[in-house]
Amino acid sequence: MKTTRMPTLFFGHGSPMNAITQNAFADFLNEKGRQLIKPKAILAISAHWESLGTQILKSAHPKTIHDFGGFPSKLFEVQYQAPGDIELADKIAKLLSSHHAKVTDQWGLDHGTWSVLVHLYPQANIPVLQLSLDRNLKLRDHFNLAKDLKSLRDEGVLILGSGNITHNLRAIKWNENAKPFDWAIEFDQMIKTAILKKDYQILFNENPSDGALWDQALPTLEHYIPLLYVLGASDENDQLSFPYEEIQMGSLSMRSVEANPRPASSRKPS
Ligand code: ZN
């Protein structure tokens, strides 16, 4: 039986507190999890796993990693006990062999992954794998690597990026509903437009005139890079949409990006 091609999805994750807060973003994830065709597995690309060389989590029972400090104990008590898929991990390593990707059991599910999944799939009954961000790669290289993940979508694998399109922690206002900074709005809109126009010079930060805005919106790039995996694994048959838009804490874009082969009108109603 032919498996329906899965969408690819990017989520902003913002503060880890989103994992234990039932806000508009959590409501959106709850709803999205109900709407999506249930995947056979999830391949998460999180801002919070950087490594030298690309790595794939190969673990039958991935541990929940609490990779942050200074938050309430309730957040450290969260366990997302989804199974892994060791056969799929080997298969992904093979798919990415030209990129010298390696499997490892020296990771688990970091909060970039579980803070989204606790709301998207609260039952934690879908196998989850993670793919790391190779620190040696340029933005364009991440996008190109992701092209080799495309075939997984036909096997029921949901490619899920988790980061933030703007992520400036120095500028954060510790109030979820703080007024967004002008530069956060400008950068977020610039990326939205570039996605719709497939303007890769902008998406790959190769346009020198945008330099100052990039520095402000993304002092470091790891929260932006997962978006490039979601776009790299999409193709011209996908419809691109933005199912969630918000800027939290003044400086964190929570914009979600979806590449879906089916027009929105034909999707399963909630
Ligand atoms: Zn983060």
Side-chain angles (χ1 to χ4, degrees):
M1 198 178 78
K2 196 177 177 307
T3 307
T4 308
R5 173 164 258 223
M6 293 301 296
T8 67
L9 272 162
F10 174 80
F11 296 107
H13 61 243
S15 161
M17 289 301 286
N18 279 320
I20 52 170
T21 309
Q22 193 64 41
N23 52 16
F25 175 60
D27 290 345
F28 155 68
L29 290 173
N30 293 159
E31 188 59 35
K32 188 48 110 180
R34 284 193 288 267
Q35 283 174 4
L36 286 171
I37 297 168
K38 190 177 174 190
K40 290 195 176 132
I42 297 164
L43 177 62
I45 299 102
S46 160
H48 293 280
W49 188 19
E50 295 180 275
S51 59
L52 293 177
T54 299
Q55 299 186 11
I56 302 139
L57 173 64
K58 181 180 179 180
S59 165
H61 304 284
K63 60 178 185 280
T64 304
I65 304 176
H66 300 88
D67 48 338
F68 42 70
F71 287 97
S73 59
K74 199 177 164 202
L75 199 56
F76 289 87
E77 288 160 15
V78 176
Q79 292 289 323
Y80 190 78
Q81 294 179 319
D85 186 333
I86 53 179
E87 279 173 32
L88 183 59
D90 286 331
K91 186 171 184 168
I92 294 170
K94 212 176 261 180
L95 270 181
L96 299 180
S97 59
S98 66
H99 306 279
H100 312 289
K102 302 260 184 305
V103 295
T104 178
D105 61 1
Q106 299 300 303
W107 197 251
L109 305 182
D110 60 57
H111 84 272
T113 296
W114 60 256
S115 68
V116 168
L117 289 182
V118 289
H119 296 301
L120 191 67
Y121 293 115
Q123 291 176 315
N125 57 2
I126 301 167
V128 184
L129 294 87
Q130 281 204 202
L131 183 76
S132 75
L133 307 177
D134 180 356
R135 288 179 197 271
N136 293 320
L137 300 186
K138 303 237 178 297
L139 295 183
R140 190 178 279 275
D141 303 327
H142 288 287
F143 179 86
N144 287 335
L145 184 150
K147 289 181 184 172
D148 290 335
L149 298 171
K150 227 176 264 188
S151 62
L152 294 170
R153 296 176 58 193
D154 294 319
E155 296 174 32
V157 178
L158 175 65
I159 295 171
L160 184 157
S162 179
N164 289 103
I165 288 177
T166 64
H167 188 265
N168 185 334
L169 294 182
R170 285 192 310 260
I172 230 166
K173 298 177 191 172
W174 286 102
N175 167 7
E176 189 187 306
N177 301 311
K179 187 173 175 288
F181 289 102
D182 290 344
W183 50 259
I185 296 171
E186 187 183 349
F187 188 86
D188 183 57
Q189 288 295 324
M190 179 180 85
I191 297 300
K192 176 184 179 179
T193 307
I195 290 170
L196 291 173
K197 289 186 180 166
K198 296 194 166 52
D199 187 340
Y200 295 116
Q201 208 189 1
I202 289 193
L203 289 175
F204 299 157
N205 189 12
E206 291 167 352
N207 184 0
S209 66
D210 300 331
L213 189 57
W214 275 81
D215 290 344
Q216 210 159 19
L218 294 165
T220 56
L221 293 170
E222 78 291 331
H223 276 71
Y224 172 77
I225 292 169
L227 171 67
L228 299 177
Y229 283 78
V230 166
L231 296 175
S234 73
D235 64 28
E236 64 281 0
N237 297 318
D238 289 315
Q239 295 211 341
L240 292 168
S241 61
F242 305 97
Y244 192 77
E245 305 182 340
E246 184 190 11
I247 294 179
Q248 285 186 351
M249 298 181 163
S251 73
L252 302 173
S253 164
M254 300 297 288
R255 175 179 301 286
S256 172
V257 182
E258 178 169 2
N260 199 314
R262 294 171 302 144
S265 59
S266 76
R267 289 178 211 161
K268 194 178 119 196
S270 52

